[in-house]
């Protein structure tokens, strides 16, 4: 059933008891044309585009927990595409273009809000780096503009721009098309859209092995609910990618770290945009519910614990209170952590692997939510054609051997 | 915050006194110029990233300043042991 004003009204007349389930809970079939491991936004997006755009509908998405319960449901939802290198600008802007119109395409409100992402500069190095990004972005057709300190404050009134501030604001780079979206809705919208096209979504079913034939090619996956055959397997397991890849005998250039976020008690609208400060490591926006959504940094050690240390949060809140003194008496409601898979150059790996029939989408680290529609589309393309799209071709696994890095780590120091 | 036992200071100290040095027991190539690109990739970038028992390096940077090794479970974050640099993997 479509979501529409008419159906909302018709359902209201029957106490909303007639809405059908949005995606059925499926038992696995014996064989699929393609299997996606991991029902995060990326994996569900890949399944949706395989079915809607690339004509492969006999697809299963296999998830060890519940769909959207990984980093998709744990992130601070910042969307932007103002990355330095050409390859990254194309990759992330491909996604931002898909965010436009996604609610209409899925008939599901993903609440993409172009409220603008303002990245603050606190010192001369920040200013130079921001301006370099702005120029590079413009050459790639990605919007990004420089604001003076006064313009930053006009755009974001709670900002403290006094010269005596602990972290003085010298200006900022603003991407107006940047913003936020509702994380759960993205997973739910893709799940509903994919299920309607015949994709099976199988939850509470961890993949425990990847079976390979004598020729080395994949034959299917072992799961908690038995063997499921498929000649094409796309792994989109974020923080658990190394573990899944080892099932196929592959060691990956990844390390998994806890990354935390937190929200405050809900308050009336006070914060109109997204503000990021890379040099003091703080990210903040306000959700439509009214909570301040704050992103913290990663812990320093490899972990799969899905929680992080308190001193990391303390550090972030100290920075937030310095930059926005108005929030110093705000109470925090919840903190949580996700496990992010980080590559040596902080750019994702999206493409084929040395194992025939095995494809991977990983390494999005601290900043892959913004790429959800794009990563889904490109993973689907790569699986359907057994070859990458030209946008994701540079993000191959080989670059760690050839040295052709896409070094956003050096360019930005962090990626969100 | 983790409590980490420094095998040199022989004390349990808070994590903020330490920096993590990544995976332990990665041997530097003995003859760098004869290494293939694949060997370099393995040495520089491929990591075990295990879910479970993990050998890692720590440095007691705000203490004695020394590097040492640890075995930690990456699911519970619990340390099994820490031991001095140069000792064989536990
Ligand atoms: C606190 C935090 C804040 C963040 N903030 C931002 C931000 O502001 N902007 C941004 O762009 N990005 C942000 N990110 C990063 C972003 O969340 C991720 O890059 C993105 O959501 C990854 O999506 P995914 O679908 O690949 O992964 P996930 O949503 O993690 O999905 C992977 C799925 O694979 C499943 N899985 C794993 N192993 C198996 C197995 N063996 N069998 C079956 N299933 C398995 C997991 O259960 C999980 O559901 C943040 C991340 C965190 C943790
Ligand atoms: Zn010590």
């Amino acid at each position: 059933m479509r979501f529409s004003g008419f159906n909302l009204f018709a359902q209201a007349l029957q106490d909303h008891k007639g809405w059908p389930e949005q995606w059925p809970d499926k038992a696995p079939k014996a064989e699929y044309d393609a299997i996606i491991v991991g029902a995060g936004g990326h994996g569900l997006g890949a399944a949706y585009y395989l079915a809607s755009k690339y004509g492969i509908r006999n697809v299963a998405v296999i998830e060890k927990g519940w769909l959207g319960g990984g980093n998709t449901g744990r992130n601070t939802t910042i969307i932007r595409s103002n990355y330095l290198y050409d390859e990254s600008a194309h990759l992330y802007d491909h996604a931002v273009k898909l965010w436009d119109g996604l609610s209409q395409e899925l008939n599901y409100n993903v609440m993409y809000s172009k409220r603008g992402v303002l990245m603050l500069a606190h010192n001369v190095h920040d200013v130079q780096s921001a301006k370099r990004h702005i120029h590079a972005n413009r050459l790639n057709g990605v919007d990004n503009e420089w604001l003076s300190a006064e313009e930053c404050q006009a755009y974001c009134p709670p900002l403290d721009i006094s010269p005596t501030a602990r972290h003085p604001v010298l200006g900022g780079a603003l991407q107006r098309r940047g913003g936020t979206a509702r994380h759960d809705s993205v997973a739910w919208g893709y799940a509903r859209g994919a299920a309607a096209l015949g994709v099976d979504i199988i939850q509470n079913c961890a993949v425990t092995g990847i079976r390979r034939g004598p020729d080395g090619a994949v034959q299917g996956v072992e799961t908690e609910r038995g063997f499921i055959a498929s000649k094409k397997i796309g792994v989109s397991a974020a923080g658990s990618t190394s573990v899944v890849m080892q099932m196929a005998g592959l060691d990956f250039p990844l390390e998994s770290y806890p990354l935390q976020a937190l929200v405050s008690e809900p308050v009336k609208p006070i914060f109109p945009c997204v503000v990021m400060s890379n040099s003091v490591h703080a990210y903040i926006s306000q959700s439509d519910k009214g909570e301040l959504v704050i992103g913290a940094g990663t812990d320093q050690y490899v972990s799969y614990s899905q929680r992080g240390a308190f001193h990391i949060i303390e550090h972030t809140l100290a920075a937030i209170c310095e930059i926005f003194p108005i929030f110093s008496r705000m109470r925090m409601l919840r903190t949580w952590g996700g496990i992010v898979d980080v590559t040596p150059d902080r750019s994702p790996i999206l493409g084929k692997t040395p194992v025939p029939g095995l494809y991977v989408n990983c390494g999005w680290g601290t900043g892959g939510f913004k790429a959800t529609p794009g990563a889904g589309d490109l993973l689907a393309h790569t699986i359907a054609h057994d070859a990458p799209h030209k946008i994701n071709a540079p993000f191959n696994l080989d670059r760690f051997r050839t040295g052709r890095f896409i070094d956003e780590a050096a360019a930005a120091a962090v990626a969100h | 915050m983790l409590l980490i036992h420094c095998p040199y200071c022989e004390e349990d100290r808070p994590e903020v006194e330490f920096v993590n040095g990544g995976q332990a027991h990665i041997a530097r190539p003995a003859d760098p110029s004869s290494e293939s690109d694949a060997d370099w990739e393995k040495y520089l970038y491929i990591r075990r990233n295990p879910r479970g028992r993990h050998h890692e390096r720590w440095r007691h940077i705000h203490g004695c300043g020394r590097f040492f090794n640890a075995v930690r479970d990456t699911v519970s974050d619990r340390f099994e042991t820490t031991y001095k640099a140069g000792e064989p993997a536990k």
Side-chain angles (χ1 to χ4, degrees):
Chain A
M1 192 189 293
R2 279 186 65 77
F3 291 118
S4 65
F6 175 78
N7 279 333
L8 188 64
F9 180 74
Q11 289 300 323
L13 295 179
Q14 35 173 320
D15 291 340
H16 293 288
K17 287 180 181 147
W19 293 108
E21 63 181 354
Q22 298 195 28
W23 54 83
D25 209 9
K26 285 289 179 72
K29 291 193 266 190
E31 181 163 10
Y32 291 92
D33 294 339
I35 285 176
I36 306 288
V37 181
H42 289 212
L44 291 163
Y48 171 78
Y49 291 113
L50 273 173
S52 68
K53 196 165 160 185
Y54 301 102
I56 303 180
R57 292 187 173 208
N58 184 25
V59 175
V61 185
I62 302 178
E63 166 58 49
K64 76 171 170 193
W66 65 97
L67 69 83
N71 293 344
T72 298
R74 295 165 187 267
N75 80 97
T76 50
T77 78
I78 299 174
I79 296 173
R80 62 182 184 89
S81 60
N82 50 357
Y83 284 74
L84 182 67
Y85 292 106
D86 296 351
E87 296 88 343
S88 319
H90 295 148
L91 180 73
Y92 289 98
D93 213 48
H94 170 63
V96 169
K97 284 176 186 145
L98 286 173
W99 279 109
D100 255 329
L102 190 61
S103 293
Q104 286 74 15
E105 175 173 353
L106 295 176
N107 178 230
Y108 206 95
N109 191 357
V110 301
M111 296 165 76
Y112 172 39
S113 155
K114 288 184 244 189
R115 57 185 67 185
V117 174
L118 178 62
M119 299 170 83
L120 299 177
H122 299 291
N123 51 48
V124 174
H125 172 82
D126 284 354
V127 174
Q128 289 169 345
S129 153
K131 290 192 172 169
R132 183 179 174 212
H133 275 73
I134 289 170
H135 296 313
N137 292 154
R138 290 216 166 155
L139 291 175
N140 279 315
V142 174
D143 74 302
N144 198 5
E145 65 196 82
W146 178 254
L147 300 191
S148 67
E150 292 71 27
E151 288 167 333
C152 287
Q153 198 192 36
Y155 197 75
C156 183
L159 192 61
D160 178 10
I161 59 164
S162 57
T164 53
R166 167 75 183 80
H167 305 292
V169 174
L170 304 187
L174 173 66
Q175 184 175 27
R176 292 184 192 270
R177 284 155 72 227
T180 57
R182 173 79 204 278
H183 48 7
D184 294 326
S185 290
V186 180
W188 297 338
Y190 275 128
R192 174 170 167 269
L197 295 169
V199 170
D200 286 358
I201 297 166
I202 300 156
Q203 304 180 66
N204 295 312
C205 179
V207 168
T208 53
I210 294 178
R211 197 185 283 180
R212 296 173 62 181
D215 57 349
V218 298
Q219 295 182 328
V221 291
E222 312 283 355
T223 76
E224 290 176 330
R225 288 156 79 174
F227 177 72
I228 310 173
S230 182
K231 293 194 175 61
K232 286 173 182 263
I233 299 171
V235 175
S236 195
S240 297
T241 304
S242 293
V243 176
V244 176
M245 283 307 173
Q246 271 151 15
M247 298 173 189
L250 296 178
D251 288 324
F252 254 58
L254 286 175
E255 288 187 301
S256 297
Y257 298 98
L259 179 68
Q260 296 180 85
L262 61 161
V263 293
S264 72
E265 58 193 343
V267 291
K268 289 193 171 163
I270 170 91
F271 206 82
C273 57
V274 180
V275 171
M276 307 177 51
S277 169
N278 286 353
S279 50
V280 300
H281 219 103
Y283 317 93
I284 175 167
S285 65
Q286 187 174 18
S287 74
D288 294 342
K289 262 193 286 181
E291 304 156 324
L292 293 181
V293 181
I294 299 170
T298 58
D299 280 285
Q300 52 171 335
Y301 47 84
V302 163
S303 176
Y304 289 82
S305 61
Q306 285 206 133
R307 57 169 191 236
F310 191 70
H311 67 271
I312 305 278
I313 297 224
E314 240 181 325
H315 175 83
T316 296
L317 286 180
I320 293 287
C321 291
E322 292 285 0
I323 304 172
F324 307 102
I326 191 178
F327 295 141
S328 61
R329 279 175 296 146
M330 195 90 149
R331 277 170 300 210
M332 294 297 136
L333 270 192
R334 300 190 302 279
T335 76
W336 64 90
I339 300 301
V340 297
D341 44 330
V342 176
T343 60
D345 63 357
R346 303 295 188 276
S347 287
I349 302 168
L350 210 184
K352 298 176 68 164
T353 71
V355 174
L358 186 64
Y359 308 88
V360 71
N361 167 52
C362 68
W364 291 95
T366 59
F369 176 74
K370 62 178 70 67
T372 302
D377 178 40
L378 296 167
L379 177 59
H381 178 105
T382 307
I383 293 174
H385 297 91
D386 190 34
H389 188 280
K390 72 173 189 311
I391 294 177
N392 65 306
F395 294 87
N396 55 46
L397 188 54
D398 295 343
R399 70 181 189 271
F400 302 100
R401 197 179 60 244
T402 61
R404 278 202 68 86
F405 278 15
I406 302 157
D407 211 342
E408 293 295 340
V414 288
H416 264 268
Chain B
M1 189 183 307
L2 306 176
L3 262 188
I4 303 175
H5 183 82
C6 173
Y8 294 100
C9 299
E10 296 185 338
E11 268 186 72
D12 293 340
R13 304 296 302 171
E15 181 198 332
V16 284
E17 290 187 10
F18 299 82
V19 284
N20 184 282
Q23 186 178 323
H25 303 296
I26 298 176
R28 198 178 267 271
D31 179 13
S33 50
S34 68
E35 294 283 294
S36 68
D37 286 354
D39 292 335
W40 276 114
E41 177 191 20
K42 200 160 169 239
Y43 168 65
L44 290 172
Y45 305 122
I46 302 291
R47 294 294 176 260
R48 282 189 59 236
N49 197 23
R51 188 186 161 88
R53 211 166 175 265
H54 182 43
H55 290 80
E56 65 188 353
R57 300 191 307 160
W58 286 91
R59 186 173 178 210
H60 195 184
I61 190 158
H62 299 301
C64 61
R66 303 183 78 166
F67 277 97
F68 59 92
N69 294 320
V71 182
R72 183 175 51 89
D73 185 305
T74 60
V75 180
S76 64
D77 287 339
R78 200 165 285 137
F79 282 93
E80 187 180 307
T81 180
T82 57
Y83 51 99
K84 292 178 181 165
E87 290 176 17
K90 299 252 157 117

